[in-house]
Amino acid sequence: MKGPIGFGRVVNIVMNIILGLCMSLVMLTAAGVPLLPEIVIEAWFASFCIGYAFGDIIPVASWGPALCAKLNLHGGIGFYLINSVILGVYFGTIISFGNMLINNLPTLGWAAVFGGFVASWPLVALSAVVLVIIFLWLAQKIAKAISGFDPAAAAREAH
């Protein structure tokens, strides 16, 4: 868990712990499901696994910096917000769709998967963006402490 790869993996783990829990609460509440501990834990676990797997497989963390580089943004609030929006929309989308697939496909079919996804996506994506804006700095701070890697210092050295 050292270096840039470790940094990215720790950020992915921390953010998906937070996103999985908070977004599960949002989705369950919006669907009118009672927030019983076993239901919340099951929804959190599914959300965490979906978000972590797709965060590890697809290099979404590089999309924001790439866009910012094209916009000539190399730091500051604009850089942070662009990254947060991209990460939030991405994770909100895959977690929402993944949960609809897991929960609806076996019993209700594809129409319920797509219908549930379309109905929940705006609220879930917006919630994810807000959560990323609030918690990304914390995840990065934890990742820096664990991995020993500082992306800001590495960017300064590269210039």
Side-chain angles (χ1 to χ4, degrees):
M1 295 291 254
K2 296 293 180 191
I5 292 173
F7 179 88
R9 189 152 289 146
V10 172
V11 168
N12 192 21
I13 290 168
V14 171
M15 285 307 298
N16 278 294
I17 288 170
I18 295 166
L19 287 171
L21 176 60
C22 295
M23 289 174 48
S24 293
L25 293 172
V26 167
M27 288 187 285
L28 292 170
T29 301
V33 176
L35 298 178
L36 301 172
E38 60 273 13
I39 293 172
V40 173
I41 291 168
E42 183 181 312
W44 169 81
F45 184 72
S47 297
F48 172 81
C49 290
I50 293 164
Y52 176 77
F54 280 89
D56 208 41
I57 294 169
I58 297 173
V60 65
S62 66
W63 298 353
L67 177 59
C68 288
K70 290 182 183 196
L71 298 172
N72 205 24
L73 282 172
H74 300 288
I77 191 74
F79 184 89
Y80 186 82
L81 289 175
I82 287 172
N83 281 301
S84 296
V85 168
I86 289 171
L87 291 170
V89 169
Y90 174 80
F91 282 106
T93 300
I94 62 160
I95 290 171
S96 178
F97 187 79
N99 276 301
M100 292 302 158
L101 191 66
I102 291 168
N103 294 318
N104 294 344
L105 185 60
T107 55
L108 301 171
W110 282 106
V113 171
F114 290 114
F117 172 72
V118 169
S120 69
W121 182 81
L123 176 63
V124 172
L126 178 62
S127 299
V129 168
V130 170
L131 289 166
V132 173
I133 289 170
I134 293 170
F135 291 108
L136 181 59
W137 70 271
L138 177 63
Q140 290 172 333
K141 189 172 185 174
I142 293 168
K144 181 180 168 186
I146 292 172
S147 71
F149 179 73
D150 181 0
R156 284 190 301 270
E157 290 173 12
H159 284 90

